[in-house]
Amino acid sequence: MAEHDIHITSDDVQQPTVTLIVCAVTSEIAPLVRRLRLVRARGRHGAIVYEGDRGASGRIIVAVTGMGTERAVAATTSLCAITPPKRVIIAGFAGATDPALSVGDVLEPTDLMRQSTGAIYHPTAPSQSPAGRLVTCETLVGEIADKTRLRAETGADAVDMESAAIAGWFDEHGVPWTCIRAVSDAADEALPAFALALTRPDGRPDLAAAARYAITHPRSIGPLMRLGRHARVAGHALAEALTRAIDGG
């Protein structure tokens, strides 16, 4: 992924279609960046940003905000103030709470629920027929029992840590949006608690932390390798789904 001296400015508003894709970490979006040959943009966006042109589909801007609701909303606010998009796709990975979902399955949910407030948001610019419920939690939901409990309490099909908070901001500011997430861990699979420690606050992978953890916790090597495999499967599935959504397919 090449880096260029590209600055996102208010001139972008003049373009007929600017699609903004918002995600939390670079591993979620790396396959799409490669597929669409997007380039790293420099500027004060409060996020890692890639961009490129998609012909008739217009300009594509991908923003990696970092994990958690606060970082996601702050970065989204900053970026949209610079480049108001015509449409937004909230994207990334999710943990399944529905036992029928497998790693690599893609969801475009009918509604997003924020667990901390109970607020529910519905996509205002879905790319296809949405289905299911995604619940956003403030903390990682990785244990099998916690996933089972969340599904029983909320009817969730999957869980993440950002989507509903960002959706609320877009609704408040009248920005059309949808949400597309790929399953990275199944409902009957525990997500290791150390997974969060392997990502830097800005969304980049922390390879040094992963190496240190593997050395000091040899039994973690298997789960680390599984996390990597599942991330690759989910990342490629997400890239295919996002490409279709961008092109209106």
Side-chain angles (χ1 to χ4, degrees), residues 130-222:
R133 167 170 289 183
L134 177 71
V135 173
T136 295
C137 296
E138 304 294 327
T139 57
L140 178 69
V141 178
E143 295 296 330
I144 297 172
D146 292 335
K147 294 180 182 181
T148 301
R149 187 180 308 110
L150 186 67
R151 178 165 173 79
E153 292 176 350
T154 67
D157 296 288
V159 58
D160 78 343
M161 295 176 62
E162 298 88 18
S163 293
I166 308 175
W169 189 92
F170 289 136
D171 275 1
E172 182 179 348
H173 292 82
V175 179
W177 64 274
T178 193
C179 177
I180 299 177
R181 292 264 174 181
V183 172
S184 58
D185 52 289
D188 61 354
E189 176 186 9
L191 187 65
F194 63 75
L196 289 180
L198 306 182
T199 302
R200 299 176 187 273
D202 65 0
R204 293 178 298 159
D206 193 334
L207 300 181
R212 288 193 301 270
Y213 197 89
I215 291 171
T216 56
H217 301 77
R219 293 184 179 180
S220 71
I221 294 176

Side-chain angles (χ1 to χ4, degrees), residues 74-136:
T76 299
T77 302
S78 175
L79 186 60
C80 288
I82 299 170
T83 308
K86 184 171 182 179
R87 61 172 177 168
V88 174
I89 303 174
I90 304 168
F93 298 161
T97 54
D98 179 356
L101 294 174
S102 302
V103 171
D105 285 347
V106 176
L107 301 85
E108 185 172 7
T110 301
D111 60 72
L112 278 62
M113 172 186 284
R114 188 167 183 178
Q115 187 193 38
S116 62
T117 65
I120 296 177
Y121 307 97
H122 303 282
T124 53
S127 64
Q128 51 183 302
S129 298
R133 167 170 289 183
L134 177 71
V135 173
T136 295

Side-chain angles (χ1 to χ4, degrees), residues 35-93:
R35 175 183 288 226
L36 300 188
R37 299 181 180 180
L38 306 179
V39 297
R40 178 76 177 268
R42 291 177 179 170
R44 297 180 179 180
H45 320 297
I48 298 171
V49 176
Y50 300 93
E51 66 174 1
D53 291 314
R54 187 65 177 168
S57 298
R59 191 170 189 179
I60 310 302
I61 298 175
V62 172
V64 181
T65 67
M67 291 189 296
T69 56
E70 290 187 8
R71 290 187 64 91
V73 172
T76 299
T77 302
S78 175
L79 186 60
C80 288
I82 299 170
T83 308
K86 184 171 182 179
R87 61 172 177 168
V88 174
I89 303 174
I90 304 168
F93 298 161

